[in-house]
Amino acid sequence: MALQESLNRFKQQQEKCQSTLKSISRANASSSNTKVAQQPPQKKSHTAASSSLTAKPAAPIKFSNDTERLQHINTIRKSSHGRRMKLVIDLLFETREALTAEEIYNGCYVDIHDNNNEIYDSLRNNLKVSFDGKRFSYKAKHDLKGKDDLLRLIRNNLEGLPVVDVKDSYTSVIDDLMALKNENLVWLLSNMDSQEDIVYPNDPKALLKTDDDVKQLFRGTDLPRDFVDLEKELVKMGMKPATKTAERRAAAQVLGVPLSKPKPKKRSEKFNRRSKLTNAHMPELFQFND
């Protein structure tokens, strides 16, 4: 009986040990599952932390890239009335288009939106500006569109046309003026007193009026006898002589070629055939009394 009881107690102890081992194994399995389930968020947090560490530092806060333009606008706004007027007129001259107040502001940052604006009133009354009630445009003294109109205007002004009067007609007017000069269609002369260029039509048939004082000045001016002295006077007046007498004389001396003056033509002493025939029918002219 004592042996049987000890065996029963041993079996009970084994059963308890097995149950304990099973509970321990279940606990280990559940803990491992929880660890596996918790690993992804731990990795994500780790990767997030590592990414935050490796990320580039944020750019420092700067002023707006438009600061320079705003400073320029503020400078124009505080500038004088004359400077703002010049900016607008220069814009109209360069574009040669009819512009609204908004387009003018976008082009040169001069505000003329308000009808009571002083710039607005000055533009409407300016001789160089045309206003149709909505748009402003540049107005030249002569309405020329091209080279043909320019030549026609010059030919209508026989006594000369100041270049400054046509200089702002259109953008390429100076190029067309030089082209007309190179084609020998016009004369372009400089006024030594006023420092202004005057353009004249090159028309031999044109009848030009000359003042009496100009005639007297021309007739009362003694010209140098020698071409060298004459060329020196032309150089003093800013003109380039075309004869180049001094250079020709120097070249002739170097080469040993004498500068001979042209010989006057001798009148022929022989009678031509017509004179002989004319005198042949008057024999009495050749009869002499002894």
Side-chain angles (χ1 to χ4, degrees), residues 13-52:
Q13 290 177 357
Q14 284 185 344
E15 290 177 358
K16 287 181 181 180
C17 290
Q18 289 180 356
S19 62
T20 303
L21 292 173
K22 288 181 180 180
S23 62
I24 292 172
S25 64
R26 291 194 193 98
N28 292 332
S30 62
S31 64
S32 62
N33 291 334
T34 54
K35 287 181 179 180
V36 172
Q38 291 177 358
Q39 278 181 357
Q42 288 179 357
K43 289 183 178 180
K44 288 183 180 179
S45 62
H46 178 70
T47 54
S50 62
S51 63
S52 63

Side-chain angles (χ1 to χ4, degrees), residues 273-287:
R273 184 170 180 272
R274 183 176 179 183
S275 62
K276 291 181 179 180
L277 293 176
T278 301
N279 298 330
H281 69 282
M282 294 185 294
E284 63 274 6
L285 295 178
F286 303 97
Q287 293 179 359

Side-chain angles (χ1 to χ4, degrees), residues 224-232 241 243 245-246 248-249:
R225 298 286 183 179
D226 195 346
F227 262 96
V228 175
D229 298 333
L230 181 61
E231 291 173 358
K232 290 180 180 179
T243 51
T245 304
R248 290 172 50 247
R249 289 181 180 178

Side-chain angles (χ1 to χ4, degrees), residues 102-234:
E102 183 69 23
E103 292 170 339
I104 290 175
Y105 180 79
N106 294 333
C108 62
Y109 303 120
V110 177
D111 187 9
I112 58 173
H113 290 85
D114 188 5
N115 293 346
N116 296 325
N117 191 301
E118 56 180 1
I119 303 295
Y120 182 89
D121 295 335
S122 299
L123 288 174
R124 288 192 310 169
N125 299 323
N126 195 285
L127 298 177
K128 291 293 184 180
V129 178
S130 177
F131 181 62
D132 61 359
K134 183 179 180 181
R135 297 177 181 272
F136 297 88
S137 59
Y138 188 83
K139 181 173 64 176
K141 184 174 182 179
H142 299 283
D143 186 15
L144 306 178
K145 303 300 183 183
K147 185 177 176 181
D148 295 337
D149 293 343
L150 177 61
L151 181 59
R152 190 178 300 110
L153 177 65
I154 295 173
R155 286 178 174 174
N156 291 335
N157 291 267
L158 298 178
E159 297 183 2
L161 178 69
V163 176
V164 68
D165 290 350
V166 297
K167 196 173 183 179
D168 61 345
S169 298
Y170 55 96
T171 54
S172 60
V173 63
I174 299 299
D175 296 336
D176 290 344
L177 185 62
M178 298 306 297
L180 293 175
K181 178 185 176 182
N182 295 332
E183 295 172 7
N184 294 325
L185 295 176
V186 298
W187 294 101
L188 186 61
L189 304 178
S190 298
N191 191 330
M192 302 302 295
D193 298 330
S194 60
Q195 300 296 325
E196 292 181 356
D197 293 336
I198 310 294
V199 58
Y200 297 88
N202 186 10
D203 186 3
K205 298 180 181 179
L207 299 177
L208 301 178
K209 296 180 180 179
T210 307
D211 296 336
D212 293 337
D213 55 348
V214 176
K215 294 178 181 178
Q216 294 177 1
L217 180 63
F218 177 78
R219 293 167 182 169
T221 302
D222 294 332
L223 298 178
R225 298 286 183 179
D226 195 346
F227 262 96
V228 175
D229 298 333
L230 181 61
E231 291 173 358
K232 290 180 180 179
E233 294 296 329
L234 293 175

